[in-house]
């Protein structure tokens, strides 16, 4: 049981207490960040004349050797240390002796852990955005290929109006684009360095916080030392954005599960992304889509957990905040895994274009266009709506569709109908004429695809790679 703070204590910590309190089993995840932060700290301490050049060199060399040995497996991070900070410091002292004891000058584990968590999540914000971008590329390619793949659009899961697969996928493109931009915003807002805030009230050493911040790639230092060690807003924002990503993925999965069902057959998920049944030989189940949908709850759980943990904590640091880590790490890994798998599933999925188009034709998806046709002939829209409503009822009774009726039958319901109605309510016309910005008409969609291609080419991630 290696502890940094034994001086004031006369008794050993109870074993159960020690285990309950320890965080090394999970904060080992930011070992690299802890070393990186410590190096920046001592470089600054030397610049400020708090450490000699020799001491700094010894410490930096020692830290680098610890990093190297952990990487190549000669040094193991074991649970005999309370946390990753103790592990690094104890090993440093063991390696270089007295100089190692100066590493923690002008620093507390409170600002240290705030920094480590920030460095770790900052990197992961970029990783998640990279996964999102991969998915956006897949979506945009599919959109380009399916500008004229007709399918029904739904409201209330009832066929509503015809559109294209490009348009439907384009809706998800916009969602994941916003998710990517949310990552960009979070990155910018979180990018201030808490190191140098000490336990809560700064320190009397003449630290150059701006210098440490710049060494670690931050915009600058945070401006209130209490807030610096008590703030986990960036974790909450990140988890909130991750939850939104999962919500989008989950909706998409739900649709894919429906589309992949025996009744719809709009798509077929590739064998590599499906699983079978142990008893029913015919089955090919969309388990990956279901699992992604299922894991959404887990990510929401992390968000609600940290929000609840933080809500009653008085300033500044309290040990409750140690609870920010495990669920956050899990949520990040879950979302990255889900994005990668979903992307693979989408790339290999087969779209049954004929089935989709056939489904777009039946179900009166052209009823609005039929009403608009009458409006074009001078009928007020409300009257046109009523006429087409009666027409639909007539078709349902006869088990047919609007375009299959003869002109005589149409004229019986309204004399305004003429021969040009067939062209006006054809699937092609219904889709092609929807040309307002954001609508499914292929010409309108082409412009959207162009704008989104531009968005990806000027990705905010370019400068972060
Ligand atoms: N393991 C702790 C955490 O994750 C590190 C900070 C400990 N600070 C303290 N004052 N006990 O929050």
């Amino acid at each position: 049981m290696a502890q940094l703070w034994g001086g004031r204590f006369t008794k050993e910590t109870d074993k159960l207490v020690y285990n309950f309190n320890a965080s090394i089993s999970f904060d080992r995840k930011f070992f690299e960040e802890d070393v990186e932060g410590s190096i920046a700290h001592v470089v600054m301490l030397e610049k400020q004349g708090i450490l000699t050049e020799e001491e700094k060199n010894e410490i930096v060399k020692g830290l680098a050797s610890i990093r190297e040995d952990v990487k190549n497996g000669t040094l193991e991070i074991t649970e005999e240390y309370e946390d990753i900070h103790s592990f690094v410091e104890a090993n440093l002292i063991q390696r270089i002796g007295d100089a190692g004891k100066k590493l923690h000058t002008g620093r507390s584990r409170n600002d240290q852990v705030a920094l480590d968590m920030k460095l770790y999540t900052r990197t992961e914000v970029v990783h998640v955005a990279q996964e999102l971008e991969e998915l956006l590329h897949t979506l945009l390619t599919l959109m380009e290929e399916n500008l004229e793949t007709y399918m029904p659009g739904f409201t209330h899961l009832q066929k509503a109006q015809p559109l294209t697969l490009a348009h439907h996928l384009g809706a998800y493109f916009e969602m994941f684009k916003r998710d990517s931009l949310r990552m960009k915003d979070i990155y910018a807002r979180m990018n201030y360095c808490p190191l140098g805030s000490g336990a809560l009230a700064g320190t009397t050493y003449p630290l150059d916080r701006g210098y440490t911040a710049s060494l670690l790639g931050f915009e600058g230092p945070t401006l209130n030392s209490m807030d610096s060690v008590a703030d986990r807003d960036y974790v909450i924002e990140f988890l909130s954005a991750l939850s939104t990503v999962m919500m989008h993925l989950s909706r998409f999965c739900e649709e894919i599960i429906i589309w992949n069902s025996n009744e719809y057959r709009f798509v077929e998920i590739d064998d590599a992304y499906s699983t079978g049944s142990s008893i029913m030989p015919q089955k090919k189940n969309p388990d990956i889509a279901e699992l992604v949908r299922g894991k959404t709850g887990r990510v929401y759980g992390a968000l609600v957990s940290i929000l609840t943990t933080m809500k009653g904590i008085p300033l500044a640091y309290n040990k409750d905040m140690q609870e920010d880590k495990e669920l956050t790490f899990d949520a990040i890994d879950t979302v990255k895994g889900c994005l990668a798998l979903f992307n693979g599933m989408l790339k290999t999925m087969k779209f049954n274009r004929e089935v989709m188009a056939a489904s777009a034709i039946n179900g009166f998806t052209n009823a609005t266009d039929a009403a608009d046709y009458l409006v074009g002939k001078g009928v007020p829209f409300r009257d046109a709506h009523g006429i087409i409503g009666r027409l639909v009822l007539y078709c349902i009774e006869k088990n047919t569709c609007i375009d299959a009726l003869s002109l005589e039958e149409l004229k019986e319901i309204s004399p305004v109908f003429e021969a040009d109605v067939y062209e006006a309510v054809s699937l092609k016309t219904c889709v092609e004429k929807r040309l307002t910005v954001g609508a499914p008409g292929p010409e309108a969609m082409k412009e959207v695809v162009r704008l989104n291609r531009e968005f990806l080419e000027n990705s905010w991630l370019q400068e972060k790679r």
Side-chain angles (χ1 to χ4, degrees):
M1 302 207 286
Q3 283 156 331
L4 297 170
W5 39 263
R8 187 217 179 281
F9 289 76
T10 51
K11 258 188 176 176
E12 278 278 300
T13 318
D14 180 272
K15 184 79 181 102
L16 284 177
V17 172
Y18 182 85
N19 291 340
F20 190 66
N21 189 52
S23 53
I24 188 126
S25 62
F26 47 88
D27 62 20
R28 56 184 297 156
K29 195 134 175 151
F30 48 53
F31 162 73
E32 298 255 353
E33 286 77 4
D34 196 74
V35 171
E36 189 191 350
S38 289
I39 291 176
H41 183 62
V42 295
V43 168
M44 180 276 296
L45 289 179
E46 189 257 340
K47 181 179 95 66
Q48 297 304 97
I50 302 164
L51 292 182
T52 66
E53 194 185 347
E54 204 190 333
E55 287 166 336
K56 178 208 75 176
N57 288 342
E58 267 188 80
I59 298 175
V60 170
K61 228 175 102 197
L63 288 169
S65 76
I66 292 171
R67 180 165 55 194
E68 200 41 47
D69 290 353
V70 167
K71 220 186 240 167
N72 65 31
T74 43
L75 178 62
E76 209 191 321
I77 301 175
T78 61
E79 305 221 343
E80 77 187 91
Y81 300 93
E82 181 188 339
D83 54 29
I84 197 66
H85 326 297
S86 318
F87 168 82
V88 172
E89 193 175 317
N91 275 280
L92 183 69
I93 294 169
Q94 212 177 60
R95 285 180 184 210
I96 69 167
D98 279 351
K101 295 181 183 164
K102 297 193 174 180
L103 166 67
H104 210 52
T105 312
R107 189 175 71 169
S108 155
R109 274 186 300 168
N110 296 352
D111 59 345
Q112 187 179 359
V113 78
L115 172 72
D116 291 359
M117 190 64 181
K118 216 172 222 187
L119 287 173
Y120 185 87
T121 44
R122 189 180 66 174
T123 304
E124 290 301 334
V125 164
V126 172
H127 288 164
V128 170
Q130 282 165 344
E131 291 290 347
L132 280 166
E133 253 186 31
E134 293 286 318
L135 179 55
L136 287 172
H137 277 285
T138 303
L139 281 168
L140 200 59
T141 305
L142 283 170
M143 285 160 72
E144 278 164 341
E145 290 166 5
N146 289 287
L147 287 166
E148 291 178 34
T149 305
Y150 301 131
M151 66 178 285
F154 299 83
T155 63
H156 313 272
L157 205 52
Q158 307 271 331
K159 286 183 196 174
Q161 290 175 343
L163 36 82
T164 65
L165 180 57
H167 191 249
H168 199 120
L169 297 175
Y172 285 102
F173 188 98
E174 297 304 320
M175 294 179 227
F176 293 120
K177 181 168 72 177
R178 286 194 296 274
D179 287 331
S180 169
L181 291 172
R182 255 186 282 279
M183 298 303 157
K184 179 185 177 192
D185 293 345
I186 292 169
Y187 189 104
R189 206 166 15 256
M190 78 187 291
N191 202 20
Y192 293 87
C193 184
L195 194 64
S197 298
L200 77 164
T203 155
T204 54
Y205 294 100
L207 305 186
D208 184 346
R209 292 194 56 216
Y211 182 64
T212 333
S214 73
L215 287 178
L216 293 167
F218 287 101
E219 207 56 52
T222 50
L223 294 185
N224 181 291
S225 60
M226 281 221 275
D227 176 55
S228 306
V229 293
D231 169 38
R232 293 295 182 272
D233 287 6
Y234 60 96
V235 177
I236 291 169
E237 280 193 49
F238 190 21
L239 286 173
S240 163
L242 290 177
S243 295
T244 308
V245 171
M246 289 306 291
M247 182 264 291
H248 293 150
L249 280 177
S250 185
R251 290 181 80 169
F252 208 163
C253 283
E254 170 70 9
E255 297 209 295
I256 288 171
I257 292 163
I258 294 172
W259 292 352
N260 187 65
S261 68
N262 303 131
E263 280 69 22
Y264 273 73
R265 289 179 41 252
F266 281 10
V267 300
E268 189 179 337
I269 299 176
D270 195 73
D271 275 6
Y273 285 85
S274 308
T275 55
S277 156
S278 61
I279 177 170
M280 298 167 281
Q282 85 282 13
K283 293 276 267 177
K284 190 176 141 187
N285 296 327
D287 289 35
I288 298 309
E290 289 168 9
L291 265 174
V292 171
R293 188 177 60 182
K295 284 178 191 292
T296 304
R298 184 161 157 173
V299 177
Y300 290 3
L303 171 64
V304 174
S305 167
I306 176 99
L307 278 170
T308 312
T309 298
M310 294 303 291
K311 88 185 226 318
I313 303 184
L315 294 182
Y317 178 85
N318 295 257
K319 198 58 174 268
D320 320 39
M321 290 166 68
Q322 181 165 288
E323 286 296 308
D324 64 350
K325 294 173 195 65
E326 285 162 285
L327 294 176
T328 303
F329 296 157
D330 180 76
I332 294 167
D333 292 343
T334 300
V335 173
K336 285 194 299 185
C338 286
L339 280 167
L341 272 161
F342 184 89
N343 191 17
M345 179 175 74
L346 193 63
K347 269 186 178 163
T348 52
M349 205 160 73
K350 191 172 146 252
F351 292 93
N352 296 326
R353 296 184 169 75
E354 303 73 38
V355 178
M356 286 179 154
S359 170
I361 286 170
N362 63 46
F364 306 104
T365 58
N366 55 0
T368 316
D369 297 83
D372 289 342
Y373 167 84
L374 293 176
V375 170
K377 301 272 177 193
V379 181
F381 180 77
R382 193 48 57 213
D383 292 341
H385 188 286
I387 293 167
I388 303 300
R390 288 199 296 282
L391 192 60
V392 167
L393 202 58
Y394 177 83
C395 288
I396 291 170
E397 277 162 12
K398 296 235 151 186
N399 192 24
T400 184
C401 55
I402 299 175
D403 358 8
L405 297 176
S406 68
L407 192 53
E408 289 68 46
E409 283 174 297
L410 288 167
K411 276 189 180 292
E412 234 166 75
I413 292 184
S414 166
V416 182
F417 282 116
E418 286 173 51
D420 59 353
V421 65
Y422 297 105
E423 221 265 322
V425 303
S426 77
L427 183 58
K428 197 166 151 62
T429 312
C430 289
V431 174
E432 271 179 7
K433 281 206 167 157
R434 297 189 135 72
L435 290 173
T436 41
V437 176
E443 286 311 313
M445 274 298 300
K446 270 183 204 159
E447 176 59 6
V448 168
V449 167
R450 192 188 64 75
L451 289 170
N452 281 331
R453 185 59 70 199
E454 223 170 77
F455 169 79
L456 288 179
E457 276 161 13
N458 301 313
S459 161
W460 69 272
L461 282 169
Q462 269 162 18
E463 59 196 79
K464 302 280 189 277
R465 275 184 242 271

